[in-house]
Every structure is written in C-alpha cells, then in structure tokens.
Amino acid sequence: MPAVPTATRGVPLRRRVLLGAGWMVALRWLDRLVGVVSLAVLARLLLPADFGVVGYAMLVIGLLEICAGLSTDAALIQDQQATRADYDAAWTLNLVKGVVLGLLVLALAAPAARYFGEPRLQPVMYCPAAMPVLEGLINIGTVDFRKHLEFRREFTFLTSTRLASTAVTILLAVWLRDHWALVVGILGRSGARMVLSYGVQPFRPQLNLARVAHIFRFSRWMLLQQLSAGLNARLPEFAVARLADSAALALFTIGREIAMLATTELKAPIRRALFPGLARVAADRPRLAMALVETSGHIVIVALPLSLGLALTAADLVPLMLGENWQAAVPFVAVLGFAAAVSALGSSSFLGFVVTGRPYVTAWAGVARLALLAPLAFLLVGRHGAIGAAYAVLLCDAMAVLVDYLFSARLLGIRLSRLLAVIWRSLLAALTMAAAVLGLRAELPLPASLEAHAGSLALSAFAGALAYASALLLLARATAWGDGPERQLLRLLVGLGRRPAAGSPPAGAAAVEGCVPGRPVVLAFGTNPWSSYWQTRQQVLSRLAQRDWRVGYATPVLSRWDRGQPIWQGAPLLHRLARQDGVAVYRAGRLPLRTGRLAALDRALIHAYVRGYAHRLGAGKRPVAYLFNPMFWPYLPALGDCRVVYHADDNFSAMRGWGEAAAARQAALVARTPRRTPSLTTKHRR
C-alpha cells in the first residue's frame, strides 16, 4: 500500500480539502480549455460526419464501461485502513474488467455497424478495443493522490497526459484529415495515462484475488448508481443515433459538450475533493447537511450565470468556436444550456447518501429518471428530430432537481428553506442578467461575419457580467450580507474581510471539519452586539473558537420598542450569520419583529429564530446553551434537551426594569444550571 505523503502529515483536513478543491477545479478547467481549443482546431480540419463515426464507437464503449463500473477507487478511498492486498485486488479487478470489455468491443463491432447503419464503424471499433485494457493496467497506486488529498500530484499527472494526447491528435488530423486521427488520439491518451502512472507512483501492483469480495461489497450499489447515471447520460444519444443520422448525433454531442461546460467542470471537481471530508463527518447529520447546503450555494453562484450565459449567447459562440459549418448546433447549445442552468440548482445530495452508506437512494432515483427519459427522448426525437433529445434532457433535469430537494429534506434533513436561503439571490441576479442580455441582443444587428459575432459576444458577456454582479451585490447588501457565498466570492476576488482568527475555519469549510468530534456546539446568547467593546463574553467565546469548538453568539429577537435604540442601528433587514473572531455571530434582523402583546406569536417567532440559529451552526444533540442574561430563559425550549450555562457577569437585580418576572427567570436558570459546571475551556483541551 502506498505510504501517506510526508507533505500532508500534520496539515489540517480543512486546509487540505480547500486546496484539493482548488487543484481539482484548476485541473478540470484546464482540461476543458485544452479540449475547447482542440475542438476548435479539429472542427476546422474534420467534418461533422467524422466526429459522428467516432461518436458511434465511443457510445458503445462508454455504455460497456458504464455497465462494468466497479468504483474500485472509491472503495479504496472510503477504506482508510486498506492494505496492500486491497490495492492488488482492486488493480486485478480493473485489469480483468478491461480485458473483458476489450473482447466485447471486438465482438460488437459488426453488430454496431449494422445497427447504426454506418459501414465505416466496424474497422473504427477494432482500434479502441485496446483502450479498456490500457485503462485497466493503470497503476492503482495513483488512487492515493485523492485519498491523501495530494491533488497537486494528480493535477500534474492528468494534465501531462491530456496535453500529450491533444498534441498527437491535432498533428494526426493535419496529416490524415479523417476520423482516424480521432481514433488514434483517444487510444494514445489511454496509453499515455498507463505509462505515466508508473512514473509518478512507485507502487507496483500484483495479481491478487484475496480481497476481491471485500472490494465488491462496497461497489455493488455504486455499480447500479453509475449504471443508471451513465444510461441517463447516453440514452439521448442512442435515441438520436437510432432515429437520425451521424451528423445529427455530432450536433447533439458537441452541443451538449459546450452547454455543460460550467456545470460539469465546476461541480465535479468540487465534489471530488469534498468527498473525503464529508466521509469524516458522516455521523454528524447537521454538519453534513450544512456542508452540502454551503457547497450548493457556492456552485450555484458561479455555475448558474455561466450556464445561462452560454445558452443566451449560443448564436455567437458556436460559429466562433466551431466555424460556420456548425451553425445547426446553435439550438442544441441553447436548450442544453438552459438544462445545465436548471441542473446547477441541485443540492449535491448524492454525496450525502454515499458517505452515509445509502448509495441505493441515488441509484434508484437514477433508475426512475431513466424510466422517464427513455420514452420521452424517443418520443420527442421521433416528432421533432434530434433537438427533441435536448428538450427531453431539459424536462428530466427539472424533475430531477425537484426530486433531489424532496429526498434531501426527508432523508438528510436539508430543509428547502435552508437551500433557498443560499441560492435565491443568485437566482434573481441570474434572471436580471438574462433580461439585460436579451434586451441588448434585441437591439444589436444580426452578425454577418466572424468579427461581428465576436463583437456581439463581447458586448453580451460584458452586459451580462455587469448586470449579474451588480444585482448580486445589491441583493446581498440589502440582506446585510451574512457569511454566504457572495461574501466568500468577494473575498476570493478582491481580498475583502480580515483573516479569520486562529482556529476559525474559512467560510464554507466549517461544515467539512468544524469542531473536534465529540465536542458539543456552543450556542451563546447575549444582549449586546458582538462588535461593541470587548467584555467577558468575547474573551470566553473567542478562546473556545480558537480551540476548534464550534461557537455561536446570538442577540435577542428585536421588538417594535427597539426602534431608535442602539441595537436597532446597523441591524440587518433579516436575520443573518457572519463570522467574527472565529465565532459565528447570528444577528437578529428588523423583520420579523416581536409584538410584545401577542404572546403566542412572540413565542413562535423566538422558537423559529432559535431553531434557525441552531441549524445554521449545525447543532446536533444536546448543544450547550451559554446564556449571559436571564432574559433568554424563554429561548431554551426551542433547543430541547440542551446543557445550560448561565454566566451572570453582572448584578442584573440592581438594573432598571428588574422585577418579579426577571427574578423568576433567573431563579429558573440557576435551578437548571448545575451548581458546579466543568470549565468549557479545560474539559476538552487538546
């Protein structure tokens, strides 16, 4: 078994996850950039029919690989105690699978050529039959690049193979000017990955079947999940290939490739890096739910406007990227771009199901989507041609997002209101962007040359980016920001906000690592704003946060009598969460207000406020309610079975307004709090 790289020892998990996500995003976007450049060059050297012939072959090979997806790499990543025998068994399974798939590709060459009505397909499939074998021979030790979050090494490894294979494919296209350039380039990429894998990783696998049963025990549901996901991805292509011709298949395939740029190349790398971190907090459902919600917010804020922008500017983008021969691909990019925008609104719940040992939920959801997509794709392609497949994908993606929200709420505890809280500003800003771009393009003349297309695209992109950024910032400011995706993106771009205190996780990463396992979440309540002059509350809570406790501080729900008071000044419109000095500060908003007269309504408002505070902090069972004032006694019922610390740092009975009701609340607090409360700062020292 490969050793843990020395560079990762002692590095906090939080930092490794964030750096890993950065490397994976960079890898996918660099890979996509190389692919776009390659496609732009090859589209001018080859015809759509050439892409279509190779597309037929890759469709068959892709389907076979989907049916045999064993996820041996996921099994090794999930098992932190995997031995040398586990790695050898995984490599052996991959090799056996590759040989079987290669033989099946050879056997299916003639039947596939007859099925698709393309005689050139049979000899084309003989060459890529070696691709699964080469993939099976790849050094299984490279899995540890992900397992130990050494994504920089994986970045170097995969980027090298991508650049080498792309250069070979372009040179062959210049020389041959036919589909064989694509065939040899695809095979060369697999060969390069196999050879380089043994150069970058000293581990040498051996044939070993001793632990095959252990590997397969994890992989069986992942196999069904990948099968359903793969069939969902490939089925529209089969419908187009069966009911249309090779040129139509090329238009659909290339159109989807362009339209899915933002979602696939952003969501996939983030989830790839997030998976190991989620696996470590799988037992803490509130923290897991918080991680998934925050991830969704960060994906939507970037992927949604990009996908929508691709759809709106398809008429300029396609001729610039592919040339005038591909004008027929414009409607495909437009419709599938809208489908990608809808898909970006998902919650990434499948990661939660996998790390909690329930991959069957995602697998059966994929089967249900397939059952809807299959008749819909063939029906719409039969009636409307190849573009019908794009409409089928759009409708099924919309249904999938709704089902995703339903399953997330019922099985993972991710409330729809919590999801909407992190995406609604991005959604409104994206609609504003769409209106601005459509309005601008309606006033522009129809482009008659590539230069005109370039100018139209540049103006549309500028107007869209300006409208989206302005709307997003205005909406974020109107809701007093909070520690949401907008603030994090702004910090990333222009460095706003101060560096978090020691022990304070970056926003969006708290749910991945957060507090040390076993420590309760501390939910503090105080009357004064956190940003006022420092007192005991800031000293105690910030020190707890520095020791990797998850600590929050909340002010009371505002009432109509607070108008004009200091606590009203600077209060946000709605409740919001922001991180200060390592503490999650939850500030009550001006809406909704306590009435002071309708007791039942006021109790409901307080209960909702406290539950929202606890949920945002990821408070699990029995959090610590740390009260600095007896007025917060009515807040405790919303926390259920919690531990109570009453920190009376002042003589409240000598203050103005003290009466029997306040004395009763303080007496109840004293009775609820143990006479000897262990020090929170010493009980769980590292």
Side-chain angles (χ1 to χ4, degrees):
M1 175 180 137
V4 179
T6 305
T8 66
R9 294 173 184 167
V11 180
L13 173 63
R14 179 191 311 123
R15 179 174 174 79
R16 292 163 62 191
V17 168
L18 290 175
L19 290 176
W23 279 111
M24 285 298 92
V25 170
L27 171 64
R28 291 298 291 261
W29 278 94
L30 178 60
D31 182 78
R32 183 54 61 189
L33 176 62
V34 173
V36 168
V37 173
S38 172
L39 180 61
V41 174
L42 294 174
R44 286 165 169 77
L45 298 173
L46 306 175
L47 298 174
D50 293 322
F51 286 90
V53 172
V54 178
Y56 284 139
M58 297 312 299
L59 192 59
V60 175
I61 295 174
L63 179 61
L64 291 175
E65 289 182 338
I66 289 167
C67 296
L70 296 176
S71 298
T72 55
D73 55 345
L76 295 176
I77 292 172
Q78 183 266 346
D79 185 3
Q80 297 296 311
Q81 306 301 322
T83 64
R84 164 80 195 214
D86 292 312
Y87 280 75
D88 288 338
W91 182 78
T92 303
L93 277 176
N94 288 343
L95 179 57
V96 171
K97 181 190 77 171
V99 172
V100 172
L101 289 181
L103 294 174
L104 285 174
V105 172
L106 292 175
L108 291 174
R114 290 193 297 270
Y115 177 82
F116 292 116
E118 178 56 77
R120 294 180 297 171
L121 180 59
Q122 184 171 350
V124 165
M125 287 185 63
Y126 290 149
C127 187
M131 188 178 71
V133 181
L134 294 174
E135 295 284 345
L137 286 169
I138 290 176
N139 189 350
I140 195 65
T142 56
V143 169
D144 271 19
F145 294 162
R146 281 174 285 156
K147 184 172 183 176
H148 301 308
L149 299 175
E150 282 288 290
F151 291 106
R152 179 185 58 81
R153 299 178 66 188
E154 185 170 19
F155 176 89
T156 304
F157 166 51
L158 296 180
T159 300
S160 301
T161 59
R162 176 60 161 164
L163 292 174
S165 63
T166 299
V168 170
T169 303
I170 292 176
L171 290 175
L172 288 172
V174 173
W175 179 32
L176 300 175
R177 296 298 179 104
D178 64 13
H179 56 272
W180 285 106
L182 299 174
V183 174
V184 177
I186 291 171
L187 187 62
R189 185 174 185 178
S190 297
R193 284 188 63 195
M194 188 271 291
V195 172
L196 285 176
S197 68
Y198 290 91
V200 298
Q201 174 59 263
F203 179 76
R204 295 295 178 263
Q206 301 173 359
L207 292 172
N208 189 341
L209 297 174
R211 297 282 289 174
V212 166
H214 173 74
I215 298 293
F216 187 74
R217 200 173 297 125
F218 175 85
S219 301
R220 55 186 178 180
W221 283 112
M222 295 296 293
L223 175 61
L224 178 59
Q225 177 186 335
Q226 290 189 16
L227 178 61
S228 62
L231 289 175
N232 273 290
R234 296 289 184 177
L235 191 136
E237 297 178 10
F238 268 102
V240 174
R242 180 61 176 170
L243 301 177
D245 54 18
S246 60
L249 176 62
L251 292 174
F252 178 83
T253 305
I254 299 300
R256 183 164 65 175
E257 191 83 3
I258 296 173
M260 299 293 178
L261 277 173
T263 52
T264 57
E265 307 313 318
L266 182 70
K267 290 161 62 175
I270 290 178
R271 290 167 174 171
R272 186 182 179 96
L274 189 65
F275 178 74
L278 291 178
R280 288 165 172 78
V281 299
D284 191 339
R285 296 301 171 82
R287 293 171 63 195
L288 178 64
M290 181 184 294
L292 293 173
V293 167
E294 291 177 347
T295 301
S296 298
H298 288 87
I299 289 176
V300 168
I301 197 174
V302 179
L304 180 61
L306 289 179
S307 299
L308 200 56
L310 288 173
L312 296 172
T313 59
D316 293 325
L317 196 62
V318 170
L320 284 173
M321 286 183 60
L322 307 179
E324 296 295 337
N325 292 336
W326 292 82
Q327 279 286 358
V330 170
F332 292 90
V333 175
V335 176
L336 292 170
F338 285 116
V342 171
S343 178
L345 300 175
S347 69
S348 303
S349 62
F350 81 93
L351 285 177
F353 295 130
V354 172
V355 299
T356 55
R358 294 180 290 180
Y360 56 84
V361 176
T362 305
W364 288 119
V367 171
R369 184 183 189 276
L370 184 63
L372 174 64
L373 178 62
L376 197 59
F378 280 93
L379 175 65
L380 293 180
V381 171
R383 290 189 176 183
H384 305 286
I387 192 64
Y391 286 114
V393 171
L394 174 59
L395 292 174
C396 289
D397 280 350
M399 290 295 298
V401 169
L402 295 177
V403 173
D404 178 25
Y405 287 168
L406 177 64
F407 280 13
S408 298
R410 293 180 65 88
L411 302 178
L412 293 175
I414 301 177
R415 296 181 301 173
L416 179 60
S417 60
R418 183 68 186 92
L419 271 172
L420 293 178
V422 298
I423 68 173
W424 73 270
R425 289 185 292 265
S426 300
L427 186 57
L428 283 182
L431 293 176
T432 303
M433 178 197 77
V437 172
L438 290 174
L440 172 66
R441 295 180 70 84
E443 299 298 324
L444 293 177
L446 258 153
S449 63
L450 289 181
E451 291 77 11
H453 280 297
S456 175
L457 179 62
L459 285 173
S460 300
F462 176 77
L466 181 62
Y468 180 75
S470 301
L472 191 63
L473 291 175
L474 287 174
L475 288 169
R477 186 173 181 82
T479 53
W481 286 91
D483 202 18
E486 298 85 5
R487 180 174 289 279
Q488 297 309 310
L489 182 61
L490 196 58
R491 285 176 180 169
L492 178 66
L493 294 176
V494 298
L496 291 184
R498 58 182 176 178
R499 187 178 183 86
S504 171
V512 175
E513 184 175 14
C515 61
V516 175
R519 294 182 180 178
V521 176
V522 178
L523 302 174
F525 295 85
T527 56
N528 299 320
W530 179 269
S531 56
S532 62
Y533 62 92
W534 272 54
Q535 296 177 323
T536 307
R537 60 178 183 275
Q538 288 101 329
Q539 296 288 351
V540 172
L541 299 179
S542 63
R543 290 185 182 183
L544 284 174
Q546 290 173 5
R547 291 171 179 163
D548 282 341
W549 286 68
R550 184 174 299 165
V551 183
Y553 178 80
T555 50
V557 181
L558 298 179
S559 69
R560 58 193 182 95
W561 288 286
D562 291 319
R563 294 175 181 174
Q565 301 299 318
I567 195 173
W568 185 268
Q569 305 302 321
L573 180 63
L574 302 174
H575 309 322
R576 60 100 166 170
L577 185 72
R579 188 168 296 278
Q580 294 180 251
D581 306 300
V583 175
V585 179
Y586 196 62
R587 291 197 63 185
R590 298 180 181 180
L591 293 176
L593 288 175
R594 287 188 294 118
T595 64
R597 295 180 179 178
L598 301 175
L601 177 60
D602 289 346
R603 284 196 300 269
L605 292 176
I606 290 174
H607 185 276
Y609 175 73
V610 175
R611 293 306 303 164
Y613 173 38
H615 181 74
R616 295 288 297 273
L617 266 291
K621 296 181 179 179
R622 301 202 69 204
V624 174
Y626 201 117
L627 276 58
F628 288 93
N629 193 294
M631 70 166 291
F632 292 103
W633 170 255
Y635 289 57
L636 290 181
L639 294 176
D641 183 22
C642 62
R643 287 162 283 194
V644 179
V645 174
Y646 174 40
H647 192 138
D649 59 352
D650 209 334
N651 184 12
F652 298 114
S653 61
M655 294 183 178
R656 182 180 179 183
W658 184 266
E660 293 183 1
R665 287 195 293 266
Q666 178 163 272
L669 269 178
V670 172
R672 176 78 181 268
T673 305
R675 294 297 179 180
R676 294 184 61 189
T677 303
S679 171
L680 289 172
T681 59
T682 59
K683 184 179 179 182
H684 290 287
R685 286 184 184 274
R686 294 193 212 183

Short mmCIF file of all heavy atoms in Angstrom, two decimals, residues 441-470:
data_model
loop_
_atom_site.label_atom_id
_atom_site.label_comp_id
_atom_site.label_asym_id
_atom_site.label_seq_id
_atom_site.Cartn_x
_atom_site.Cartn_y
_atom_site.Cartn_z
N ARG A 441 -29.27 42.20 -26.97
CA ARG A 441 -29.18 41.47 -28.23
C ARG A 441 -30.35 41.81 -29.16
O ARG A 441 -30.21 41.72 -30.39
CB ARG A 441 -29.12 39.97 -27.97
CG ARG A 441 -27.85 39.54 -27.23
CD ARG A 441 -27.81 38.04 -26.97
NE ARG A 441 -27.63 37.29 -28.20
CZ ARG A 441 -26.46 37.04 -28.77
NH1 ARG A 441 -25.34 37.53 -28.20
NH2 ARG A 441 -26.37 36.35 -29.87
N ALA A 442 -31.48 42.21 -28.58
CA ALA A 442 -32.60 42.62 -29.43
C ALA A 442 -32.30 43.91 -30.19
O ALA A 442 -32.87 44.16 -31.26
CB ALA A 442 -33.85 42.79 -28.58
N GLU A 443 -31.40 44.72 -29.64
CA GLU A 443 -31.05 45.99 -30.28
C GLU A 443 -29.87 45.87 -31.23
O GLU A 443 -29.61 46.77 -32.03
CB GLU A 443 -30.73 47.04 -29.21
CG GLU A 443 -31.88 47.34 -28.26
CD GLU A 443 -33.09 47.91 -28.99
OE1 GLU A 443 -32.88 48.68 -29.96
OE2 GLU A 443 -34.23 47.57 -28.61
N LEU A 444 -29.11 44.77 -31.14
CA LEU A 444 -27.93 44.61 -31.99
C LEU A 444 -28.33 44.08 -33.36
O LEU A 444 -29.25 43.26 -33.48
CB LEU A 444 -26.94 43.65 -31.34
CG LEU A 444 -26.27 44.11 -30.04
CD1 LEU A 444 -25.38 43.00 -29.48
CD2 LEU A 444 -25.45 45.36 -30.29
N PRO A 445 -27.63 44.50 -34.42
CA PRO A 445 -27.92 43.94 -35.75
C PRO A 445 -27.45 42.50 -35.85
O PRO A 445 -26.58 42.06 -35.10
CB PRO A 445 -27.12 44.85 -36.70
CG PRO A 445 -26.01 45.38 -35.85
CD PRO A 445 -26.57 45.54 -34.47
N LEU A 446 -28.04 41.75 -36.76
CA LEU A 446 -27.67 40.35 -36.94
C LEU A 446 -26.23 40.27 -37.46
O LEU A 446 -25.91 40.88 -38.47
CB LEU A 446 -28.60 39.68 -37.95
CG LEU A 446 -29.66 38.81 -37.28
CD1 LEU A 446 -30.87 38.70 -38.13
CD2 LEU A 446 -29.08 37.46 -37.01
N PRO A 447 -25.34 39.52 -36.79
CA PRO A 447 -23.94 39.44 -37.24
C PRO A 447 -23.85 38.76 -38.61
O PRO A 447 -24.51 37.75 -38.85
CB PRO A 447 -23.27 38.60 -36.15
CG PRO A 447 -24.18 38.65 -34.98
CD PRO A 447 -25.55 38.79 -35.53
N ALA A 448 -22.99 39.32 -39.47
CA ALA A 448 -22.81 38.75 -40.81
C ALA A 448 -21.41 38.22 -41.03
O ALA A 448 -21.09 37.72 -42.10
CB ALA A 448 -23.13 39.82 -41.86
N SER A 449 -20.55 38.31 -40.03
CA SER A 449 -19.17 37.83 -40.15
C SER A 449 -18.70 37.37 -38.78
O SER A 449 -19.34 37.63 -37.75
CB SER A 449 -18.26 38.93 -40.68
OG SER A 449 -18.21 40.02 -39.75
N LEU A 450 -17.55 36.70 -38.77
CA LEU A 450 -16.99 36.23 -37.50
C LEU A 450 -16.62 37.41 -36.61
O LEU A 450 -16.75 37.33 -35.38
CB LEU A 450 -15.77 35.35 -37.76
CG LEU A 450 -16.03 33.97 -38.36
CD1 LEU A 450 -14.73 33.20 -38.54
CD2 LEU A 450 -16.98 33.16 -37.46
N GLU A 451 -16.15 38.50 -37.21
CA GLU A 451 -15.81 39.67 -36.41
C GLU A 451 -17.05 40.24 -35.75
O GLU A 451 -17.02 40.67 -34.58
CB GLU A 451 -15.16 40.74 -37.29
CG GLU A 451 -13.78 40.39 -37.82
CD GLU A 451 -13.83 39.41 -38.98
OE1 GLU A 451 -14.95 39.16 -39.49
OE2 GLU A 451 -12.76 38.89 -39.36
N ALA A 452 -18.16 40.24 -36.47
CA ALA A 452 -19.41 40.74 -35.89
C ALA A 452 -19.90 39.82 -34.76
O ALA A 452 -20.41 40.30 -33.74
CB ALA A 452 -20.48 40.86 -36.98
N HIS A 453 -19.74 38.51 -34.95
CA HIS A 453 -20.10 37.56 -33.89
C HIS A 453 -19.25 37.80 -32.64
O HIS A 453 -19.75 37.76 -31.51
CB HIS A 453 -19.92 36.12 -34.37
CG HIS A 453 -21.04 35.61 -35.21
ND1 HIS A 453 -22.32 35.46 -34.73
CD2 HIS A 453 -21.07 35.19 -36.51
CE1 HIS A 453 -23.09 34.97 -35.70
NE2 HIS A 453 -22.36 34.81 -36.79
N ALA A 454 -17.95 38.06 -32.86
CA ALA A 454 -17.06 38.30 -31.72
C ALA A 454 -17.47 39.57 -30.98
O ALA A 454 -17.48 39.60 -29.73
CB ALA A 454 -15.62 38.41 -32.21
N GLY A 455 -17.81 40.63 -31.71
CA GLY A 455 -18.24 41.86 -31.07
C GLY A 455 -19.54 41.68 -30.31
O GLY A 455 -19.70 42.18 -29.19
N SER A 456 -20.49 40.97 -30.92
CA SER A 456 -21.77 40.72 -30.25
C SER A 456 -21.57 39.90 -28.98
O SER A 456 -22.19 40.19 -27.94
CB SER A 456 -22.72 40.00 -31.21
OG SER A 456 -23.91 39.64 -30.56
N LEU A 457 -20.70 38.89 -29.05
CA LEU A 457 -20.45 38.05 -27.88
C LEU A 457 -19.78 38.86 -26.77
O LEU A 457 -20.14 38.73 -25.59
CB LEU A 457 -19.57 36.86 -28.26
CG LEU A 457 -19.19 35.90 -27.14
CD1 LEU A 457 -20.45 35.25 -26.54
CD2 LEU A 457 -18.23 34.83 -27.64
N ALA A 458 -18.82 39.71 -27.13
CA ALA A 458 -18.12 40.52 -26.12
C ALA A 458 -19.08 41.48 -25.43
O ALA A 458 -19.06 41.62 -24.20
CB ALA A 458 -16.98 41.28 -26.78
N LEU A 459 -19.94 42.14 -26.20
CA LEU A 459 -20.91 43.07 -25.60
C LEU A 459 -21.90 42.33 -24.70
O LEU A 459 -22.22 42.79 -23.60
CB LEU A 459 -21.66 43.82 -26.70
CG LEU A 459 -20.89 44.93 -27.43
CD1 LEU A 459 -21.71 45.47 -28.59
CD2 LEU A 459 -20.54 46.06 -26.45
N SER A 460 -22.37 41.18 -25.15
CA SER A 460 -23.32 40.41 -24.36
C SER A 460 -22.68 39.92 -23.06
O SER A 460 -23.30 39.97 -21.99
CB SER A 460 -23.83 39.21 -25.17
OG SER A 460 -24.49 39.63 -26.34
N ALA A 461 -21.43 39.45 -23.17
CA ALA A 461 -20.75 38.96 -21.97
C ALA A 461 -20.53 40.09 -20.97
O ALA A 461 -20.72 39.92 -19.76
CB ALA A 461 -19.42 38.32 -22.36
N PHE A 462 -20.13 41.27 -21.47
CA PHE A 462 -19.90 42.40 -20.57
C PHE A 462 -21.19 42.84 -19.89
O PHE A 462 -21.24 43.05 -18.67
CB PHE A 462 -19.30 43.57 -21.35
CG PHE A 462 -19.11 44.81 -20.53
CD1 PHE A 462 -18.04 44.91 -19.64
CD2 PHE A 462 -19.99 45.87 -20.63
CE1 PHE A 462 -17.88 46.05 -18.86
CE2 PHE A 462 -19.83 47.01 -19.86
CZ PHE A 462 -18.77 47.10 -18.98
N ALA A 463 -22.26 42.96 -20.69
CA ALA A 463 -23.55 43.38 -20.12
C ALA A 463 -24.07 42.37 -19.12
O ALA A 463 -24.58 42.73 -18.05
CB ALA A 463 -24.57 43.60 -21.24
N GLY A 464 -23.94 41.10 -19.45
CA GLY A 464 -24.41 40.06 -18.54
C GLY A 464 -23.63 40.02 -17.25
O GLY A 464 -24.21 39.91 -16.16
N ALA A 465 -22.29 40.10 -17.34
CA ALA A 465 -21.46 40.08 -16.14
C ALA A 465 -21.75 41.29 -15.25
O ALA A 465 -21.84 41.17 -14.02
CB ALA A 465 -19.99 40.04 -16.52
N LEU A 466 -21.89 42.46 -15.88
CA LEU A 466 -22.17 43.67 -15.11
C LEU A 466 -23.53 43.58 -14.43
O LEU A 466 -23.67 43.92 -13.24
CB LEU A 466 -22.13 44.89 -16.04
CG LEU A 466 -22.37 46.25 -15.38
CD1 LEU A 466 -21.29 46.54 -14.34
CD2 LEU A 466 -22.42 47.35 -16.43
N ALA A 467 -24.55 43.12 -15.16
CA ALA A 467 -25.89 43.02 -14.59
C ALA A 467 -25.92 42.00 -13.46
O ALA A 467 -26.52 42.24 -12.40
CB ALA A 467 -26.90 42.63 -15.67
N TYR A 468 -25.26 40.86 -13.65
CA TYR A 468 -25.28 39.80 -12.62
C TYR A 468 -24.55 40.26 -11.37
O TYR A 468 -25.06 40.12 -10.25
CB TYR A 468 -24.65 38.53 -13.18
CG TYR A 468 -24.63 37.39 -12.18
CD1 TYR A 468 -25.79 36.69 -11.88
CD2 TYR A 468 -23.45 37.01 -11.54
CE1 TYR A 468 -25.78 35.65 -10.96
CE2 TYR A 468 -23.43 35.98 -10.63
CZ TYR A 468 -24.60 35.29 -10.35
OH TYR A 468 -24.58 34.27 -9.44
N ALA A 469 -23.34 40.79 -11.54
CA ALA A 469 -22.56 41.22 -10.38
C ALA A 469 -23.26 42.34 -9.62
O ALA A 469 -23.31 42.34 -8.39
CB ALA A 469 -21.17 41.66 -10.83
N SER A 470 -23.81 43.31 -10.36
CA SER A 470 -24.49 44.44 -9.70
C SER A 470 -25.71 43.97 -8.93
O SER A 470 -25.92 44.35 -7.76
CB SER A 470 -24.90 45.48 -10.74
OG SER A 470 -23.77 45.95 -11.45
#
